[in-house]
Amino acid sequence: MDRTLLTVFALIGVSWTLIPGIYLIEETETCQTVFDTDSYLNFSSNLKDLASCSDHLIEHLEGEKRSNLLGLLQNAADRLKSVLLKACQNVNPKNCSLPLIPANGGLICITVDKTRYCKPLCNKGYDFAFLRISRLYEECGENTNYRWDTQYIGGRRLAVCTASSRRVSGMPSAYFPERCHDVLYNYTQEKIMISTFKDELKKTIIGKFNKKNMCLLCGDSS
């Protein structure tokens, strides 16, 4: 137990500690080494081992180690989230604000030419507050005076997901199989759902799709 945690602790410490100045090149080389194929596999394996440890075993880890490890893991998660969010920030058209991400759901956003399209989705156990059968996405661009064309007038809120055992308010593709975060943590599944939305847009939208601006955003879960 201690050996596994110490290995995770060391790997995260190396990969996320940044030293300014003359050590920049050494840092880059170190990070590249940590995330080469073999090192990454060992790194992810250790994290899986940690996640599978029982609470009883983790409780016996020294308090200082638990606190330090939690801080490093949280910092790493925040950094990764920040990188993922960049794909949805400062995108064209820049006059459009970043929409609010529905709690217990998420958004898939794609830019086509100079218009931003975002598709709201709800997690399993939730449904849309308003009927959206014929409203798969919302848009923002020149045609909307750079305001989100939404059922919630004058704001950035595109949809609300409320607790429900039935999925009847939206189209079948407007729901996650389970939770948004399950898709976000599965790169293959994420690409499939983004591709589905892209294909849906192509049925009615003609233009150039910007691959760099395609992204998935997840809201908080209850």
Side-chain angles (χ1 to χ4, degrees):
M1 174 60 183
D2 281 357
R3 182 179 179 183
T4 298
L5 287 174
L6 287 173
T7 302
V8 175
F9 181 89
L11 285 171
I12 296 175
V14 170
S15 60
W16 294 105
T17 300
L18 299 178
I19 305 172
I22 62 174
Y23 299 106
L24 182 59
I25 296 178
E26 293 181 4
E27 292 164 13
T28 301
E29 293 177 348
T30 299
C31 289
Q32 289 175 342
T33 300
V34 169
F35 288 107
D36 67 22
T37 301
D38 291 338
S39 295
Y40 173 78
L41 290 175
N42 290 332
F43 175 76
S44 59
S45 176
N46 284 323
L47 287 178
K48 290 178 181 177
D49 288 342
L50 172 60
S52 66
C53 291
S54 67
D55 290 346
H56 175 72
L57 290 174
I58 295 178
E59 286 172 357
H60 283 77
L61 183 66
E62 295 177 15
E64 182 178 359
K65 292 179 180 178
R66 285 204 307 267
S67 297
N68 288 337
L69 183 57
L70 178 60
L72 288 168
L73 288 171
Q74 186 61 59
N75 182 52
D78 291 342
R79 293 285 299 279
L80 287 169
K81 289 178 182 178
S82 177
V83 171
L84 291 174
L85 189 59
K86 285 182 180 178
C88 271
Q89 293 177 323
N90 298 319
V91 297
N92 290 322
K94 297 186 182 300
N95 291 346
C96 291
S97 58
L98 182 68
L100 296 176
I101 310 169
N104 301 303
L107 297 172
I108 294 177
C109 297
I110 294 176
T111 295
V112 182
D113 288 334
K114 296 181 179 180
T115 302
R116 189 69 166 165
Y117 299 90
C118 286
K119 173 184 177 181
L121 300 95
C122 288
N123 292 343
K124 183 177 181 179
Y126 292 85
D127 199 3
F128 297 104
F130 289 133
L131 192 66
R132 297 186 58 88
I133 290 292
S134 60
R135 196 182 185 102
L136 181 65
Y137 56 81
E138 308 294 349
E139 64 180 275
C140 179
E142 185 177 2
N143 292 336
T144 67
N145 293 317
Y146 300 104
R147 297 180 179 178
W148 285 102
D149 182 19
T150 168
Q151 292 169 301
Y152 296 86
I153 304 300
R156 298 185 294 126
R157 189 179 304 281
L158 307 189
V160 172
C161 297
T162 59
S164 175
S165 60
R166 303 175 64 190
R167 296 181 167 189
V168 297
S169 296
M171 295 182 64
S173 69
Y175 300 93
F176 294 104
E178 293 292 336
R179 301 181 311 145
C180 178
H181 285 90
D182 294 329
V183 177
L184 187 65
Y185 300 153
N186 186 321
Y187 185 72
T188 299
Q189 187 64 32
E190 177 186 358
K191 290 302 178 185
I192 289 174
M193 295 199 71
I194 291 177
S195 179
T196 296
F197 182 34
K198 181 179 177 181
D199 291 340
E200 291 169 334
L201 283 175
K202 284 183 175 180
K203 293 178 181 180
T204 56
I205 305 298
I206 298 176
K208 182 179 179 180
F209 286 73
N210 190 326
K211 295 181 179 180
K212 293 182 179 179
N213 293 159
M214 300 181 184
C215 62
L216 168 65
L217 296 170
C218 293
D220 296 331
S221 298
S222 299

